[in-house]
Structure formats: C-alpha cells, structure tokens
Amino acid sequence: MSVLLLSLAALGALLGVALLAYGLRELGLAHRIFAREPHTVLDTPNDGFVELSGTVLAWDDVLESPFTETGCVAVEYTVEEKRRKSTNNGSRTKWVEIDGGTRVVPFRLEDETGNVLVDPQGADLRLTVDTRIRVEGGEAPPAPIARYIERDEDVSDENTSLSLGPLEISTGRDRRYLERRLDLGEAVHLLGTARRDTTASRETGQVNAVVERSVPPEPGLLARVRHRLLGPPFLLFDVTDRRAALRVAVRGLVSALAGVLFLALSLSFAVGVGGI
C-alpha cells in the first residue's frame, strides 16, 4: 500500500514540477513583452523571432463567426449546455461543453511602417470573449445560431416543449454560445517567427515576409516535442502589448502557485507515508 501511495505522491510532484515550469516560462514571457518595444513590420524581412503590434487587415478570405456572423480572421467558439447531475447530497447543475472549435485564415498586420502577411495556423490564440449568448431551453435561438444548429449534426435544437392542455412546459436545455474573435480593424499583438517571402506582397506598403509558427530544426518526434516546449512561441492577442503582458503574467502566476502547492502537498504526503 505504501508503494502505491508513494507512487501517487511522485505523480503529484511531477505534475507540480510541470505546472511550475510552465508558470515560470509564462512569467518570463510576460517580462519579455513588458520590457521590450515591439519590432516594426519593416523588421520582418530580416527573418527570425518577431514581436509585432498593429491592426488587423483582410488578406484573401474572411471568416464569418458562427453565432453572430461577424467578419473576422480567427475565432474560437464553444457551445455549453446546462445539465443536472445527481450526487449523494441531492443534485446540482453545471455547464458542460458539448461542441466547439477554432477557425483561422491568413491576414495582414499593419503598423505605421507597413503591413505584413500573418499565417495564424498553429498559433496559441489568447483572445477575449467577445460574445456570450444565453438561450433558455424552449426558446427560439437568434437566426445565426439557428443556422449553426441546422448545419451542425452534433448540436440539436433545444427549442422543444410539451403541451399539457392549456400549459406548455419547456423540455429543452439551457445553452450558452461563446465566441472569442480577432475582428477586422481590431488591435492585434503577436509573437512569432518571420520568414522572408517575395510572394507575400502585392501592393505598395506590403513587405516580402510571412509571420508564422516556427518549424523544428530537425525531424523526429523528440525534436518536435523539444521544439514545442522550448522553441520560440507563436501567440496571438486581441489586445495591446501591455495588456497582453498582463494576461500572460496572470496565467503564469496561477500556474506557478498551483505547481508550488502540488509540490508541497506531494512532499508532505510522501513524508507522512514514509513515517507509517
């Protein structure tokens, strides 16, 4: 039994180390964003890591967000359903994610020096919730959401009810529809890797470069994992650089504190088990 308990303590310690390492990396990244001035678009043809702040411009295609049909270049969307769960103390309700996804298209980032093509595929999107729509069970959803439900086979229509004579009782579940978007004309701050590309410009003011996710320098699974953990970040924010730094710092602080807590609890548990 003590071997099993010590193994659980070791797993807790490993989780604590992972959380602490991630938190420290985020805190270091927050300091980097806060302490340094962003590059300019004119710096991007030089290749390598860049940090840019600017405004979103359309490139070829523009997305239509699923719940509001807003024009954007990146969107994360989630459908949550309110469900009741039975427990030993009765029952309680909670929101359960039943559907969601992420969509992105290339766009141009413009600052006072010009604009550059950004390929957001594979980016870590750190976007604000722009829209939160709640639809009560038995109510007809707004038209864009109704069209989304009609297209999506995994999401049923909860506009259902049961008629009992003069009474009509709702039988559908309550839902929440959330969108996080990077809209046209919105402020954008990014950290990524620039690559010179002479095909990326078509008009005056556009530079010959693409900002994208970096690729591992070597083939193989181990190289990909190492690059994912230690390689240059590719982050997209829908806020200014100062607010982006604050957002990263908060995430890093929470993760680091959770890691310290797990390590402390695991060590305490291991000492207690060892003393049995």
Side-chain angles (χ1 to χ4, degrees):
M1 180 63 73
S2 61
V3 174
L4 175 61
L5 295 178
L6 286 173
S7 298
L8 291 175
L11 288 175
L14 286 175
L15 178 60
V17 169
L19 288 171
L20 180 59
Y22 177 78
L24 292 176
R25 186 186 187 210
E26 289 289 290
L27 289 172
L29 186 59
H31 178 265
R32 182 177 191 171
I33 297 173
F34 185 80
R36 300 183 183 182
E37 287 296 320
H39 297 91
T40 68
V41 164
L42 287 181
D43 294 323
T44 55
N46 297 327
D47 293 346
F49 177 79
V50 292
E51 180 180 349
L52 301 171
S53 282
T55 305
V56 176
L57 300 179
W59 178 230
D60 283 334
D61 298 323
V62 176
L63 297 172
E64 221 177 43
S65 64
F67 306 144
T68 61
E69 297 179 349
T70 302
C72 58
V73 295
V75 59
E76 295 177 311
Y77 59 95
T78 306
V79 183
E80 298 177 339
E81 193 169 84
K82 194 174 185 180
R83 294 183 178 177
R84 186 172 298 277
K85 182 179 180 180
S86 298
T87 64
N88 294 332
N89 299 322
S91 64
R92 61 185 180 88
T93 59
K94 66 175 183 178
W95 290 99
V96 178
E97 181 177 332
I98 62 170
D99 196 35
T102 301
R103 298 170 61 198
V104 296
V105 293
F107 65 94
R108 302 199 75 88
L109 181 150
E110 182 176 61
D111 66 11
E112 65 278 0
T113 68
N115 65 77
V116 63
L117 181 62
V118 178
D119 181 1
Q121 193 68 41
D124 182 358
L125 303 179
R126 307 278 182 98
L127 307 178
T128 310
V129 175
D130 293 285
T131 301
R132 180 183 281 106
I133 302 172
R134 178 164 176 165
V135 180
E136 304 291 335
E139 287 186 358
I145 294 179
R147 286 190 283 270
Y148 168 80
I149 292 173
E150 186 177 352
R151 293 191 304 267
D152 195 318
E153 296 180 354
D154 297 326
V155 181
S156 61
D157 188 358
E158 290 297 311
N159 183 17
T160 57
S161 59
L162 177 65
S163 295
L164 298 174
L167 299 177
E168 188 166 329
I169 301 174
S170 170
T171 58
R173 291 191 174 114
D174 297 351
R175 290 227 180 111
R176 290 192 305 205
Y177 299 84
L178 292 81
E179 284 183 352
R180 295 176 176 84
R181 301 186 309 268
L182 187 58
D183 295 341
L184 297 177
E186 190 172 23
V188 58
H189 186 79
L190 71 78
L191 291 83
T193 301
R195 172 178 58 83
R196 184 173 178 82
D197 187 340
T198 57
T199 67
S201 63
R202 300 174 182 171
E203 302 173 2
T204 303
Q206 298 177 349
V207 299
N208 294 320
V210 178
V211 180
E212 58 191 2
R213 181 178 178 179
S214 64
V215 297
E218 302 172 359
L221 177 61
L222 184 60
R224 290 199 300 271
V225 172
R226 184 169 56 247
H227 185 74
R228 179 69 174 175
L229 295 175
L230 304 175
F234 188 23
L235 306 177
L236 275 176
F237 302 88
D238 56 349
V239 291
T240 61
D241 54 342
R242 293 295 182 262
R243 291 182 63 189
L246 179 60
R247 189 173 293 180
V248 175
V250 169
R251 177 181 289 202
L253 184 60
V254 170
S255 180
L257 290 176
V260 170
L261 179 61
F262 267 95
L263 283 172
L265 291 175
S266 298
L267 179 60
S268 176
F269 187 66
V271 170
V273 172
I276 292 176

